[in-house]
Amino acid sequence: MSCQTQKKVFYIELLRVVAAVAVIAIHVLGPYRYLMGEIPQGDWVSAIAINGASRWAVPVFIMITGALLLSDTRPFSPGYFVRRRVMKVFVPFVAWSVFYAVLAGISLQNVNWTETVQRLTSFPTEETYYHLGFFYYFIPLYLLVPILRPVAQREDPGLFYALLVSWLVLSAARLTGISLGLVEDFVLYGGYLLLGYVLHQNKLPLKWLLFIGITALVATEYTAIFESVSNNRYTSAGWFSYKTLNTVLIAGMVFGLCQYWAERVSEPIQRKVAAVSRHSLGIYLVHPVFLWPVRELTFTPGMTWLTIPLATLAVFVLSYMASVGLSKSRFTSWLVP
């Protein structure tokens, strides 16, 4: 393996870790969003600012998939792809959905099996717990891989860039409130596969990444906070969506920054990051378990600029340890692939 290939692999590992941290932050701060007027405004604004600065996390996970799968030059085998890619995610998703349906029926006061049954009944179309909604639009994206891979690897990149530009236009239209109806998730999330591939193949100038990404981030934060304060209730005005152009630009910046940072990380740190990265999916699947008691107790401490990052770090470490523990047994390792 060449040095250049190792760097590409490591920045992907780094992206998985930072995205996992950002996802946990979004879920840690979740209850704060609706406490406008109930907590000091500074605490509320800090929570919303952290939320806005973390929205790139889910798109980055999809971009990683695009970077790896669309650049794979091996002959495409449907059987291998379904067995080693799709089922490796789908089977744990089903198992964890059942687990979280049970957890959703448990409170500090009682056990409500009716809630569990209702969630399991709705499972084919609706997530049983808040973080599992990701899989409902992520798993179908695997259908796009055998279609987009030959387009991405054509000698003439014209069609690929036409699709990429069309997606950017549609994500800008989504920011203005235009809906694509039933195909919206498939199209607008699917575009992140293209973006991940193109950034994997082409390292963009850092100054442009920073300028575009920071501009989008400032616009996102300002609009969401200003609109909320003006309406005296929490609203992101669509700017916190994963499917809008501002989030696309911020996600692109984070992706590019990790490419640059990866070149400056020492070998010992690389090994540690890679070890954590192997458990990124496990961390994602397991972390709400550690947030359950906090949410049940409606525990929302002040100084959110400090408590949210500290809580995020604590949940991340506990989730990593839980994932490592599950991975050590052949009976449970499949739950945290």
Side-chain angles (χ1 to χ4, degrees):
M1 181 181 288
S2 70
C3 184
Q4 182 180 7
T5 304
Q6 287 177 338
K7 287 178 183 176
K8 283 186 177 181
V9 169
F10 174 66
Y11 92 75
I12 292 290
E13 308 281 11
L14 180 60
L15 275 168
R16 286 195 179 108
V17 173
V18 297
V21 172
V23 164
I24 293 174
I26 291 171
H27 295 154
V28 167
L29 63 84
Y32 287 94
R33 293 176 297 171
Y34 303 102
L35 296 179
M36 185 178 184
E38 299 179 32
I39 59 176
Q41 189 172 55
D43 284 343
W44 181 83
V45 169
S46 296
I48 297 305
I50 294 172
N51 192 14
S54 306
R55 305 304 295 182
W56 49 267
V58 166
V60 160
F61 276 125
I62 301 173
M63 291 168 68
I64 290 170
T65 301
L68 296 178
L69 297 189
L70 299 191
S71 63
D72 190 345
T73 56
R74 293 173 296 181
F76 183 80
S77 168
Y80 178 86
F81 184 74
V82 170
R83 185 174 66 255
R84 295 303 301 268
R85 292 289 184 182
V86 181
M87 298 308 293
K88 192 175 181 180
V89 174
F90 181 75
V91 173
F93 159 63
V94 173
W96 282 105
S97 292
V98 174
F99 169 81
Y100 280 110
V102 175
L103 184 64
I106 301 173
S107 70
L108 296 176
Q109 291 75 36
N110 56 36
V111 177
N112 183 357
W113 293 118
T114 302
E115 178 69 22
T116 295
V117 171
Q118 287 177 345
R119 296 202 179 208
L120 288 175
T121 303
S122 302
F123 165 67
T125 57
E126 188 175 338
E127 67 271 20
T128 60
Y129 219 63
Y130 57 85
H131 70 306
L132 296 174
F134 166 74
F135 295 94
Y136 285 81
Y137 49 80
F138 176 73
I139 291 175
L141 296 184
Y142 281 122
L143 297 173
L144 287 174
V145 172
I147 299 171
L148 294 179
R149 181 188 288 182
V151 174
Q153 296 179 10
R154 287 178 56 178
E155 289 188 13
D156 179 7
L159 178 57
F160 176 86
Y161 282 107
L163 290 175
L164 183 64
V165 171
S166 298
W167 170 65
L168 292 173
V169 171
L170 291 172
S171 66
R174 186 67 190 87
L175 187 57
T176 67
I178 296 175
S179 174
L180 299 182
L182 293 176
V183 299
E184 179 172 291
D185 284 357
F186 197 59
V187 171
L188 294 184
Y189 285 119
Y192 282 111
L193 298 173
L194 301 174
L195 184 61
Y197 173 80
V198 76
L199 292 180
H200 184 60
Q201 300 295 323
N202 305 278
K203 194 173 178 182
L204 301 183
L206 182 59
K207 62 180 181 180
W208 284 109
L209 283 170
L210 289 172
F211 174 75
I212 294 171
I214 291 174
T215 300
L217 178 59
V218 170
T220 299
E221 301 277 25
Y222 174 80
T223 305
I225 293 172
F226 177 79
E227 290 288 332
S228 296
V229 172
S230 298
N231 294 304
N232 201 31
R233 64 178 179 83
Y234 168 71
T235 174
S236 66
W239 285 68
F240 283 179
S241 169
Y242 298 137
K243 300 177 286 188
T244 50
L245 182 62
N246 58 309
T247 304
V248 169
L249 299 178
I250 297 168
M253 176 183 70
V254 173
F255 197 96
L257 283 175
C258 282
Q259 287 177 310
Y260 280 92
W261 289 338
E263 298 176 350
R264 294 161 175 78
V265 177
S266 65
E267 292 264 347
I269 299 297
Q270 285 191 27
R271 288 193 292 271
K272 291 178 181 178
V273 170
V276 176
S277 173
R278 285 195 291 272
H279 292 277
S280 58
L281 182 55
I283 291 168
Y284 185 93
L285 288 166
V286 106
H287 77 271
V289 171
F290 300 104
L291 285 175
W292 177 85
V294 176
R295 294 198 169 197
E296 279 294 309
L297 293 167
T298 60
F299 184 56
T300 50
M303 295 178 64
T304 54
W305 58 271
L306 178 62
T307 55
I308 289 174
L310 288 178
T312 298
L313 180 61
V315 171
F316 179 84
V317 171
L318 290 170
S319 302
Y320 169 69
M321 292 170 63
S323 181
V324 171
L326 289 169
S327 70
K328 290 186 179 300
S329 169
R330 64 188 180 90
F331 297 107
T332 56
S333 58
W334 60 276
L335 288 169
V336 287

